[in-house]
C-alpha cells in the first residue's frame, strides 16, 4: 500500500481545486468585473442601513443602533460587500452574504406572499443566488485573493 505524504495530498488537492474552477482568461476577467459590480451594488444596499444614499426609506432614515436583525444585517452586508468588492476572502464573504440574503428572504419577505415578485423579495433572492455563485466559482483574475494565492 502506497502512502502519500500530507504535503503531497495538499498539493494534489490544490491542483484539483484550481482545475475544477479554472476559467479562460476572458471569462475570469468578466467574472472579476461581475464581482466588483455586484460588490459595489450590494455595498450601496448595506450602507443604506446606516442612513446613507437615501437610507432605508428614501429619506435618510437609518436602522436603529443594535436593532435585531436589521442593524446587524447592515454590518454584515457592508463588511461582506467590501470583501467581495476587493476580492479578499471572497468565497467566505460570499457564503455569508448568500446566507444573510436567504435569511432575509425567508424571515421578512416569504411571509408576505408566495412569489418573490409579490412579496418584494426579488432582490434578496437574487443576491442570495448571486453570492452563492461567486462562492462556487471564486473571485476571478483581478482580486486580492488571486494575488495572495500567487505569493504563496
Amino acid at each position: 500500500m502506497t502512502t502519500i505524504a500530507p504535503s503531497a495530498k495538499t498539493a494534489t488537492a490544490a491542483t484539483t481545486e484550481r482545475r475544477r474552477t479554472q476559467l479562460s482568461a476572458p471569462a475570469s476577467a468578466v467574472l472579476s468585473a461581475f464581482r466588483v459590480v455586484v460588490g459595489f451594488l450590494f455595498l450601496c444596499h448595506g450602507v443604506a442601513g446606516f442612513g446613507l444614499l437615501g437610507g432605508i426609506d428614501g429619506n435618510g432614515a437609518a436602522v436603529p443602533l443594535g436593532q435585531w436583525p436589521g442593524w446587524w444585517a447592515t454590518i454584515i452586508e457592508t463588511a461582506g460587500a467590501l470583501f467581495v468588492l476587493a476580492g479578499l476572502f471572497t468565497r467566505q464573504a460570499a457564503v455569508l452574504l448568500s446566507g444573510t440574503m436567504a435569511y432575509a428572504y425567508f424571515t421578512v419577505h416569504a411571509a408576505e406572499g408566495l412569489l418573490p415578485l409579490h412579496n418584494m423579495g426579488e432582490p434578496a433572492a437574487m443576491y442570495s443566488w448571486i453570492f452563492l455563485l461567486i462562492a462556487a466559482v471564486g473571485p476571478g483574475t483581478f482580486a486580492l485573493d488571486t494575488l495572495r494565492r500567487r505569493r504563496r
Side-chain angles (χ1 to χ4, degrees):
M1 176 186 228
T2 305
T3 306
I4 299 174
S7 61
K9 284 182 184 178
T10 305
T12 303
T15 302
T16 302
E17 176 66 19
R18 276 194 297 274
R19 269 193 230 130
R20 190 166 19 124
T21 59
Q22 198 167 24
L23 299 171
S24 68
S28 188
V30 169
L31 175 60
S32 294
F34 175 78
R35 175 189 46 78
V36 167
V37 169
V38 167
F40 173 74
L41 293 173
F42 200 68
L43 179 62
C44 293
H45 177 79
V47 299
F50 293 122
L52 303 172
L53 302 176
I56 57 174
D57 63 354
N59 294 315
V63 177
L65 182 69
Q67 180 188 43
W68 176 259
W71 188 81
W72 296 100
T74 297
I75 296 291
I76 292 168
E77 291 166 1
T78 302
L82 288 170
F83 279 108
V84 168
L85 179 64
L88 183 61
F89 304 110
T90 309
R91 291 178 191 255
Q92 297 88 337
V95 166
L96 178 64
L97 293 177
S98 177
T100 301
M101 289 294 92
Y103 178 85
Y105 180 79
F106 287 111
T107 61
V108 176
H109 300 285
E112 301 297 320
L114 178 64
L115 299 175
L117 187 62
H118 298 147
N119 64 25
M120 306 282 287
E122 211 169 359
M126 289 292 293
Y127 273 124
S128 181
W129 284 101
I130 288 168
F131 286 123
L132 188 60
L133 176 65
I134 291 171
V137 297
T141 302
F142 305 108
L144 292 176
D145 284 337
T146 305
L147 185 62
R148 283 183 33 233
R149 191 172 49 246
R150 285 182 186 157
R151 285 195 170 176
R152 279 191 234 160

